[in-house]
Amino acid sequence: MKKMTAFCLAVMMSLSLFGCSQAQQVEGITIVDQGGRKVTLEKPAEKVASGYYIATTTIIGLGGEDMLTGVEMKAETRPIYKAAASKLLDLPALGNKKMFHVEECAKADPDVVFLPVSLKEYAAQLEELGIATVLLNPETQEQYDEAVQIIAKVCGKEEAAEDYFAYRKELYDTYLDFEADDSKQVYMAGLDLLQAAGKDMYQAEVIHDAKGINAYAQEGNRGWQSINVETLLSLNPAYILLENGGITSEEVYADESLQELRAVKNKQVYIFPSALETWDTPNLSSCLGTLWCAAILYPQEVSMEAVEKEAIDFYKQFYDIDVTGEQLGF
């Protein structure tokens, strides 16, 4: 009788543990995405698709390039992909910020797909096919950091994300431990000189973290806004920073209508690096953009040689590639 009781207890305990294990498996991983949707997976994703450059480059930087089964269109135009994850160029092109190929995504057979919130209309279609969908909206530094954490949790790359945040903190603690100067008024332009970055733009936060002051943010403006030459002249920034791929410093210096600007008089107009990927938009390397900006504003505190060295180390650590300063545009 005692043997039978012991046997029954063992069976009951085994069933109880199995039940707990099953409950944990069913519960899985739950996140709230940046579209406010609750998304649950049974376990970290093993196969991932992305219709969003910011998600794709972040996944690569967290060490998940081998997980990708499909990416956004025009991947061949991204130098960082060619350098760090060239196999992405052969993956299915699934969409852009305006549209997404649901059927092509289904063929790629991902466990989860990352999309910008602008494509939220496709989430229901994908989930009807059994593909978990995570929406991202990394417009600010805080939102991008949240996006990194979401991507890391979904992809099982939380340790890599922790390493990145620790790296960034140490980078800033090392180089940006000095007092800000209120005279460092910066105007951040888009691809067009008269496209101004307002106070809530990611670029404005890069400038702020570099201890600069966004000249256009003082007007209380938000988002990218079109301004006229008179407005720019009234702002009279000490520095002008330009988006890579748009108007050049030489064009600004040559414009007769801009000759009275402090930034033009003092030859303080610069194009954001880098040739590998932009450093002023939401991605892991934007911390290098902050460091570069600080070197422009405070050369006595941060040398451009230090920025170059840190950039080379960054790409080795997070993208496992060897780059030179020349390749980055220094």
Side-chain angles (χ1 to χ4, degrees):
M1 186 70 178
K2 288 182 179 179
K3 288 183 179 180
M4 182 62 70
T5 301
F7 175 77
C8 289
L9 285 171
V11 170
M12 290 173 66
M13 288 178 66
S14 176
L15 289 173
S16 176
L17 289 171
F18 178 76
C20 291
S21 175
Q22 286 291 92
Q24 291 173 356
Q25 186 177 14
V26 170
E27 182 181 354
I29 297 169
T30 298
I31 58 98
V32 176
D33 72 12
Q34 293 182 306
R37 302 163 55 257
K38 184 178 288 187
V39 182
T40 299
L41 293 87
E42 291 185 358
K43 60 181 182 178
E46 296 177 355
K47 294 182 293 181
V48 177
S50 171
Y52 195 17
Y53 160 68
I54 292 174
T56 306
T57 189
T58 300
I59 291 167
I60 298 170
L62 295 179
E65 62 271 17
D66 291 337
M67 304 171 68
L68 287 159
T69 63
V71 295
E72 72 281 2
M73 292 175 174
K74 297 185 177 180
E76 70 280 0
T77 66
R78 305 286 185 183
I80 185 66
Y81 295 175
K82 295 178 185 178
S86 59
K87 76 163 196 174
L88 267 61
L89 307 182
D90 298 322
L91 295 179
L94 302 179
N96 54 37
K97 275 194 169 184
K98 295 182 179 180
M99 57 79 64
F100 192 74
H101 292 302
V102 173
E103 292 182 2
E104 289 300 312
C105 183
K107 292 177 185 177
D109 193 30
D111 301 318
V112 64
V113 58
F114 292 100
L115 296 177
V117 291
S118 60
L119 296 182
K120 62 183 178 182
E121 64 189 271
Y122 293 95
Q125 298 176 46
L126 288 161
E127 291 182 340
E128 283 179 7
L129 298 175
I131 303 172
T133 306
V134 175
L135 300 178
L136 301 175
N137 187 40
E139 294 296 328
T140 67
Q141 182 69 69
E142 182 179 1
Q143 289 172 330
Y144 178 63
D145 288 354
E146 180 184 55
V148 173
Q149 292 166 337
I150 289 171
I151 292 169
K153 187 170 184 179
V154 169
C155 297
K157 298 294 183 180
E158 290 168 290
E159 185 175 341
E162 290 174 5
D163 289 345
Y164 169 71
F165 289 124
Y167 164 88
R168 189 178 70 188
K169 182 180 185 305
E170 183 177 356
L171 188 74
Y172 288 0
D173 288 347
T174 300
Y175 290 100
L176 304 180
D177 185 22
F178 54 84
E179 292 297 320
D181 181 345
D182 291 344
S183 70
K184 305 297 182 178
Q185 299 279 334
V186 181
Y187 173 78
M188 179 71 209
L191 297 178
D192 185 287
L193 180 65
L194 298 179
Q195 185 183 29
K199 65 185 299 181
D200 61 339
M201 294 301 296
Y202 193 88
Q203 289 82 355
E205 294 188 72
V206 170
I207 292 169
H208 176 269
D209 289 344
K211 300 184 185 292
I213 296 174
N214 184 357
Y216 195 60
Q218 290 181 332
E219 301 296 311
N221 297 304
R222 296 179 179 276
W224 284 110
Q225 294 194 8
S226 295
I227 65 172
N228 54 36
V229 172
E230 289 70 24
T231 299
L232 180 54
L233 291 172
S234 69
L235 294 173
N236 197 21
Y239 302 84
I240 294 177
L241 304 182
L242 306 171
E243 283 268 310
N244 201 309
I247 189 170
T248 66
S249 305
E250 289 73 18
E251 289 174 306
V252 175
Y253 291 140
D255 190 327
E256 291 297 326
S257 67
L258 305 175
Q259 297 306 303
E260 294 305 310
L261 286 176
R262 285 188 294 165
V264 172
K265 287 181 176 180
N266 298 323
K267 301 297 183 184
Q268 300 282 16
V269 181
Y270 304 91
I271 298 176
F272 246 98
S274 69
L276 197 58
E277 59 178 340
T278 58
W279 285 356
D280 64 311
T281 56
N283 55 55
L284 299 179
S285 65
S286 64
C287 59
L288 300 175
T290 296
L291 199 62
W292 173 86
C293 189
I296 294 294
L297 302 179
Y298 301 93
Q300 74 281 10
E301 301 287 352
V302 183
S303 71
M304 203 56 76
E305 289 76 13
V307 180
E308 181 179 342
K309 176 187 177 302
E310 293 296 344
I312 291 170
D313 291 347
F314 169 88
Y315 282 106
K316 184 62 178 177
Q317 178 174 344
F318 292 101
Y319 289 86
D320 195 26
I321 55 176
D322 295 308
V323 296
T324 65
E326 185 177 359
Q327 286 175 306
L328 294 173
F330 283 92

